[in-house]
Amino acid sequence: YGRLRKKAEDIILAHQRKYQKILLQAAEGMSRQRNLNHLLKLIVYIIKKTVNPAFAAVFFQENGNFYIKAARGIKREHMDVSIARDSPLMQYIFSSRRPLNVEEMPPAARQYLENIFSRRIELVIPAFIEDSLVAFMVLGNKKDGTVYSASDMEVFEILSHQASLAMENCLLWEKERKRLVRREQELRMASLDHFSASLAHEIDNPIQAISGMAELALSHLDSSPDFYLRDKLQRIVNNSCRVSR
C-alpha cells in the first residue's frame, strides 16, 4: 500500500510540475498580446487546459465595478454578474494582494463570492497594476480531485504578475491606437479642408470671370430696349455673386 501511495503521489506531482512549467512559459509569452479581450480569453484557456479546474473566470474592472470578461465552464446566466468595488469580497482581495484560497477568506467575503456562481470556488487570483486592482480570476476545484498545492500558489502568483504587466501593455496599446485614430481623423479633416479651399478657389476664378464679363455687357446695354437680354445678364451677375460667397 505504501508503494502504491508513493507511486500515485509521484504521478500527481509530475503532473503538477508539468502544468506549472506550461503556465510559467505561458506567463512569459503574455506580453506579446496587444488586445485585452484576447489576452483575458487566452489566460482562461491556458488555465482551463492545463490545470483543468471545474471552471475559470476573469473579472475585469470597468467604471468602478468588476465584470466577467472571459470564462470557461460558466453557465451563460452567470456571465452578466458584476461585483461592486466596495463589496466585502473586493475589500479583502485588495488588502491581501496575493492568490487566495477561498477557505482563508472571512465568511462574508466567501459567501458573497459563492452566491454569485451558486457553486464552490477554490481560488481567487488578483492582478494589480501598481496599487490598482484591475482584474482577478476565480477557479473552481480541480476535476481530478487534487488540491491546489503551495507550489501551485507560487506559480499563480508569478502568473498574476505577468498577467498584470500584459494587461497594462494592452491598455497602453489601446490608448495609443485611439490616439493614432484621432490623429488620422485630424489629418483627414485638415486634408479635406485644404482640398475644399483649393476646389473653391478653382471654382471661384471662372465664376468671377463670367460675372465680370456679364457686368461689362450690362454696362453697354444700359440704354438698350432689349429687356430680355438685360434680365438674363443680371441673373448671371446675381448667381455668380451667390456662388462666390
Side-chain angles (χ1 to χ4, degrees):
Y1 174 76
R3 287 197 299 271
L4 289 175
R5 180 177 178 180
K6 181 65 168 59
K7 186 174 181 180
E9 289 176 348
D10 288 343
I11 292 172
I12 292 171
L13 288 173
H15 175 65
Q16 286 183 344
R17 284 193 291 269
K18 181 179 179 181
Y19 74 63
Q20 288 170 2
K21 182 179 180 181
I22 294 172
L23 289 178
L24 291 173
Q25 291 172 343
E28 294 176 358
M30 286 180 186
S31 60
R32 292 193 291 268
Q33 285 292 324
R34 297 291 179 263
N35 183 285
L36 180 62
N37 288 331
H38 291 171
L39 172 65
L40 299 180
K41 289 177 181 177
L42 175 64
I43 293 171
V44 170
Y45 171 79
I46 292 171
I47 293 289
K48 192 72 171 67
K49 190 76 173 178
T50 56
V51 184
N52 197 26
F55 65 91
V58 173
F59 286 79
F60 191 81
Q61 190 270 134
E62 283 186 352
N63 302 320
N65 292 336
F66 289 81
Y67 301 87
I68 295 179
K69 293 297 182 180
R72 283 182 175 252
I74 299 289
K75 292 182 179 180
R76 185 173 295 274
E77 59 263 29
H78 293 145
M79 291 294 291
D80 295 330
V81 301
S82 65
I83 299 179
R85 186 178 181 83
D86 58 354
S87 66
L89 171 65
M90 301 314 303
Q91 292 175 7
Y92 185 75
I93 292 175
F94 187 83
S95 64
S96 300
R97 302 179 66 89
R98 61 181 174 80
L100 298 166
N101 190 306
V102 171
E103 294 299 327
E104 303 174 33
M105 293 183 174
R110 183 169 64 249
Q111 191 62 45
Y112 184 94
L113 184 59
E114 293 184 351
N115 285 343
I116 294 174
F117 295 109
S118 301
R119 58 197 304 185
R120 182 173 177 78
I121 294 171
E122 291 286 336
L123 291 184
V124 176
I125 307 167
F128 286 84
I129 296 178
E130 296 181 350
D131 290 329
S132 177
L133 177 63
V134 294
F136 66 92
M137 173 180 281
V138 295
L139 301 181
N141 59 293
K142 292 183 184 179
K143 286 187 173 180
D144 62 8
T146 60
V147 298
Y148 292 101
S149 65
S151 58
D152 283 338
M153 302 297 276
E154 291 174 0
V155 171
F156 286 137
E157 188 161 10
I158 295 172
L159 184 70
S160 170
H161 292 318
Q162 292 299 114
S164 298
L165 292 173
M167 290 178 201
E168 185 175 23
N169 286 340
C170 288
L171 293 172
L172 290 173
W173 272 99
E174 180 62 15
K175 184 178 180 180
E176 178 66 9
R177 186 191 68 80
K178 290 180 179 179
R179 187 192 70 80
L180 292 174
V181 168
R182 287 195 301 270
R183 178 59 178 162
E184 184 178 357
Q185 290 174 340
E186 290 170 357
L187 291 174
R188 285 181 179 178
M189 290 302 298
S191 177
L192 183 60
D193 289 344
H194 178 73
F195 174 75
S196 299
S198 299
L199 183 61
H201 181 71
E202 292 299 321
I203 293 174
D204 191 54
N205 283 345
I207 290 295
Q208 290 292 342
I210 293 170
S211 178
M213 295 299 293
E215 288 179 348
L216 181 61
L218 272 174
S219 66
H220 290 289
L221 292 174
D222 283 343
S223 58
S224 172
D226 192 343
F227 294 104
Y228 177 80
L229 180 58
R230 290 172 61 188
D231 179 65
K232 294 299 182 184
L233 289 171
Q234 188 60 53
R235 287 190 180 186
I236 291 174
V237 172
N238 294 342
N239 287 327
S240 297
C241 291
R242 184 174 61 82
V243 170
S244 294
R245 287 198 301 268

